[in-house]
């Protein structure tokens, strides 16, 4: 028996949340992407009036303004987006315990075992769509199919506020005629390579010789074949069955260029505190720390290192990030932007092996200090408690890490031992 899988995709999610707090922006072109006066760089998302005038995700703010001179920019408020994402997941949990987030604004839901009691998959999708609008004030597009890939295709097929069924009867007419890059995991490089061999539609992939795809694309070719033919068998993960994100990070473009190690250290402290706070809030610790740096010409690097003990402590994150920076930056140019990321996440209470070089008592003191600072900031605002070094430069210290660019990267589709059905083509 076929499964019944929904893919629920919030429309213009960040912008939709912002319009709840700023209803005056609902009918004017608006993009979430930072403060252009403070030099924050790209569009994270835009509402539909802005999209209709050419504003696209990933554009630099100046490009968005060229495309749409009247666009209003709103800085991102990531904690609000996380809050609404949590509320959305509570709605989905009413229909199944098999729901799997794919970022903050997308989620697969397997309602196979619910249809006998609650109604068919399409009616459940319509009910969920109406509940999002009524209870959260945002719209969603939902795809309904027997596999995750076609369900996701369905949620992209009609926007906003729509339900699309991709069935065994209609998928050839609905999916196969569309461009290859409408299929998950077909990016610009793969699209160009497929075009060289005369394959420009999803149906072209589905009807290609499996041995040809494997010879040209390797494993990826076989995966795309499964996706295009609707043979993906990947299950929807059970709620809270694994760490839902791959990494947690924060980056910022300060109000002025950074010209000394002391400047960089101060900003890295701000970012490290923010990352550590969100790790603790979500019960994570990470064993890989990365720092990313860009100069005024947008050239730079991203370097990472693995530490012996997974951490959620701001001091440890800062020390490692600063070490990576000093090892890599030659100060030929000032620093325009900087970021910190923690990955290889595990549950914070995962046991770890003590050694001579790690003081568990000191770690507990630093973690407790972090928690005390987080609580004071939660109650009285970010400026309620600050490190002494931050008073050395009031301009840089005025950065509020809560309004910097947060990065929460979900696991890739194939990272959890997922099954594609490729064994059928071996």
């Amino acid at each position: 028996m076929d499964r019944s899988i929904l893919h629920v995709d919030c429309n213009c999610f960040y912008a939709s949340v912002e319009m709840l707090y700023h209803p005056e922006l609902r009918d004017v072109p608006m993009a979430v992407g930072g403060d252009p006066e403070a030099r924050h760089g790209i569009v994270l998302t835009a509402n539909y009036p802005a999209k209709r005038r050419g504003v696209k995700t990933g554009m630099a703010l100046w490009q968005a303004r060229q495309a749409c001179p009247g666009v209003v920019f709103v800085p991102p408020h990531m904690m609000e987006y996380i809050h609404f994402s949590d509320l959305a997941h509570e709605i989905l949990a009413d229909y199944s315990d098999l729901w799997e987030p794919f970022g903050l604004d997308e989620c697969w839901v397997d309602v196979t075992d619910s249809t006998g009691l609650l109604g068919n998959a399409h009616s459940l999708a319509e009910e969920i769509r109406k509940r999002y609008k009524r209870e959260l004030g945002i719209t969603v597009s939902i795809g309904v199919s027997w596999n995750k890939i076609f369900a996701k295709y369905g949620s992209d097929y009609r926007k906003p506020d729509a339900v699309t069924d991709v069935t065994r009867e209609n998928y050839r007419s609905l999916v196969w005629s569309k461009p290859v890059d409408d299929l998950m995991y077909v990016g610009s490089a793969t699209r160009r390579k497929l075009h060289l061999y005369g394959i420009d539609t999803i149906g072209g992939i589905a009807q290609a010789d499996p041995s040809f795809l494997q010879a040209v694309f390797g494993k990826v070719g076989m995966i795309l074949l499964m996706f295009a033919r609707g043979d993906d068998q990947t299950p929807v993960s059970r709620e809270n069955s694994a760490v839902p994100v791959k990494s947690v990070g924060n980056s910022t473009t300060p109000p002025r260029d950074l010209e000394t190690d002391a400047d960089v250290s101060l900003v890295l402290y701000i970012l490290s505190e923010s990352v550590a706070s969100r790790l603790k809030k979500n019960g994570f610790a990470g064993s890989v720390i990365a720092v990313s740096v860009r100069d005024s010409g947008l050239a730079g690097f991203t370097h990472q290192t693995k530490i012996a003990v997974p951490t959620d402590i701001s001091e440890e994150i800062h020390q490692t990030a600063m070490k990576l920076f000093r090892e890599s930056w030659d100060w030929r140019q000032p620093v325009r932007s900087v970021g910190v990321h923690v990955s290889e996440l595990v549950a914070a209470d995962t046991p770890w092996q003590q050694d001579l070089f790690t003081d568990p008592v000191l770690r507990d003191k630093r973690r407790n200090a972090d928690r005390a600072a987080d609580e004071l900031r939660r109650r009285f605002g970010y400026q309620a408690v600050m490190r002494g070094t931050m008073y050395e430069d009031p301009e840089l210290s005025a950065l509020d890490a809560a309004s910097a660019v947060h990065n929460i990267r979900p696991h890739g589709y194939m990272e959890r031992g997922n099954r594609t059905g490729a064994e059928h083509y071996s």
Side-chain angles (χ1 to χ4, degrees), residues 208-229:
D209 186 336
S211 60
F212 161 76
L213 290 175
Q214 187 166 33
V216 174
F217 296 95
K219 181 180 178 180
V220 171
M222 301 304 292
I223 291 173
L224 295 180
L225 181 64
M226 302 306 110
F227 287 178
R229 292 186 176 182

Side-chain angles (χ1 to χ4, degrees), residues 352 354-355 357-367:
W352 56 277
Q354 294 189 20
D355 57 43
F357 306 102
T358 306
D359 184 345
V361 176
L362 177 60
R363 295 189 88 229
D364 285 343
K365 288 180 178 178
R366 286 175 169 173
R367 184 178 288 107

